[in-house]
Amino acid sequence: MDLWKADPVLTLTNLLESLECWTKALDEGYGVDVLYLDYRKAFDSVPHKRLLQKVSLYGINGSALMWIENFLTLRTTRVGVRGYFSDWFQVLSGVPQGSVLGPLLFLLFVNELHSWIVNSMRMFADDTKVWAYIRSTEDSQSLQKDLDSLTTWSKEWLLHLPG
């Protein structure tokens, strides 16, 4: 079960907040351009070493950091189809979906993403909306710069946008 999608209140709140901002802009006579982004296999793609660096930067060190490292790196999996199973193999990236700690670790990984954005932004797990009120050409250019910044961040931290 995906914990992010399990709470319809959080999803609804995110959508209503966004809709309220967009409606206000339209009521004031402005246009609104919105970028919808969804990281490809985001929870499965989080690189363990980079996540552990970020966790350490948040002040989680010592035995707590070692426990998180073990939680991430000592996992194995296999594929089963109709009673036939593959060999076990080590999971090399990602945060465990369906666990309590997985969503928190993902949030720590993407936490500074908003600091790369000039315009408005809302995230729900890996689903991201970035928008700008369009009053002039410069506003559209500002939104393009945000997209460029998101692309740069994504490449640097090894999360992939579709495309």
Side-chain angles (χ1 to χ4, degrees):
M1 174 181 209
D2 187 347
L3 293 176
W4 290 98
K5 310 271 187 216
D7 190 344
V9 173
L10 294 177
T11 305
L12 184 60
T13 302
N14 182 298
L15 292 171
L16 288 174
E17 286 177 353
S18 302
L19 183 61
E20 184 176 336
C21 291
W22 302 338
T23 303
K24 181 180 180 219
L26 294 173
D27 287 346
E28 293 173 0
Y30 302 119
V32 179
D33 283 353
V34 182
L35 301 172
Y36 287 91
L37 306 167
D38 186 7
Y39 285 101
R40 189 175 39 199
K41 297 186 178 188
F43 277 71
D44 296 330
S45 301
V46 173
H48 292 159
K49 286 184 181 179
R50 290 171 182 243
L51 172 59
L52 291 167
Q53 287 174 334
K54 287 189 176 198
V55 168
S56 178
L57 290 173
Y58 287 114
I60 300 171
N61 294 298
S63 59
L65 182 63
M66 186 173 291
W67 185 89
I68 293 171
E69 182 177 7
N70 289 338
F71 176 73
L72 292 171
T73 59
L74 298 180
R75 294 184 0 241
T76 57
T77 191
R78 66 181 181 165
V79 178
V81 177
R82 296 185 184 148
Y84 295 94
F85 294 91
S86 69
D87 292 334
W88 288 95
F89 57 94
Q90 186 176 7
V91 177
L92 300 176
S93 65
V95 294
Q97 295 186 51
S99 69
V100 173
L101 194 54
L104 176 62
L105 291 172
F106 183 79
L107 283 174
L108 291 174
F109 190 73
V110 299
N111 189 49
E112 88 278 356
L113 189 54
H114 73 278
S115 65
W116 288 62
I117 303 302
V118 173
N119 292 289
S120 299
M121 177 179 163
R122 292 283 187 281
M123 288 186 77
F124 187 77
D126 61 330
D127 298 323
T128 306
K129 294 182 290 295
V130 181
W131 68 87
Y133 296 172
I134 304 301
R135 302 173 198 94
S136 66
T137 305
E138 289 79 22
D139 294 327
S140 294
Q141 293 168 347
S142 174
L143 191 59
Q144 180 61 53
K145 287 179 184 176
D146 281 346
L147 181 57
D148 295 341
S149 293
L150 283 169
T151 302
T152 299
W153 183 92
S154 300
K155 286 179 183 176
E156 181 178 329
W157 291 100
L158 304 177
L159 284 184
H160 303 289
L161 294 166

